[in-house]
Amino acid sequence: FNAAMFDAAAAARAAGHLLTLLDALLADADAMPAKIALLGPADGPEPLALAIGAPQPAPTGTVLDAFRRNVAAAGGAPALAWGARSLSYDALDAASDAFAARLQAAGLRPGGGVAIFARRTAELVAAILGTLKAGGYFVPISSDTPVERVGMILDHVEPSCVVVDQTTASRL
């Protein structure tokens, strides 16, 4: 083991976990390694519990429900920040409402698909939220996706609308 990275106790624990894994696999050759418990009572709390604390209840509702709660609770607070700029929840809500209206005017119906071929910007977040507000689903396509792959995605998805930005528009 790399003594600069691990002390002897950590290396011994890792070796013990490996032995536990090997013993379990020898006992049941069909066992799935990912399902074998490596940690025992001597190891203390699960590492994830140490990192994140006590389990929390799963959120309920949709992404839009959560977004709307944040708008109501902290409308003027920053929802997005990049560099020295930021966009408040209220401004993002207004931008996504406007985007939803544009999608609907362009013919998007509930359950329709929107391919979003754009860079990661505040406008992308507004487009995603606007698509959801209009009742559609979105298919994100990274701006660095090769054009041939973009074509295959669009052929497969057959979206009602395709959203591009200044960078990606010339690539279609």
Side-chain angles (χ1 to χ4, degrees):
F1 71 94
N2 183 344
M5 293 180 65
F6 303 100
D7 62 20
R13 275 192 312 277
H17 296 155
L18 180 58
L19 288 174
T20 300
L21 176 65
L22 293 174
D23 286 342
L25 290 172
L26 287 172
D28 179 4
D30 294 324
M32 294 186 63
K35 299 216 182 234
I36 296 171
L38 300 179
L39 301 179
D43 291 303
E46 288 282 341
L48 187 58
L50 288 173
I52 64 171
Q56 300 295 315
T60 59
T62 66
V63 169
L64 282 179
D65 293 335
F67 177 70
R68 288 178 177 134
R69 282 192 301 270
N70 287 340
V71 171
L80 301 172
W82 64 103
R85 298 175 53 201
S86 67
L87 188 67
S88 72
Y89 280 101
D90 286 334
L92 181 57
D93 190 38
S96 60
D97 283 344
F99 196 84
R102 288 182 63 197
L103 287 172
Q104 290 168 330
L108 180 67
R109 300 288 174 252
V114 177
I116 304 176
F117 182 36
R119 292 169 293 135
R120 293 180 184 185
T121 62
E123 290 80 11
L124 172 65
V125 177
I128 290 170
L129 290 169
T131 299
L132 297 174
K133 286 179 175 187
Y137 66 88
F138 65 94
V139 177
I141 305 172
S142 175
S143 61
D144 60 0
T145 301
V147 175
E148 299 78 22
R149 177 78 179 127
V150 172
M152 290 171 47
I153 293 169
L154 295 177
D155 287 345
H156 181 73
V157 173
E158 297 180 351
S160 301
C161 301
V162 177
V163 175
V164 296
D165 63 17
Q166 292 175 340
T167 301
T168 59
S170 63
R171 296 187 55 214
L172 290 182

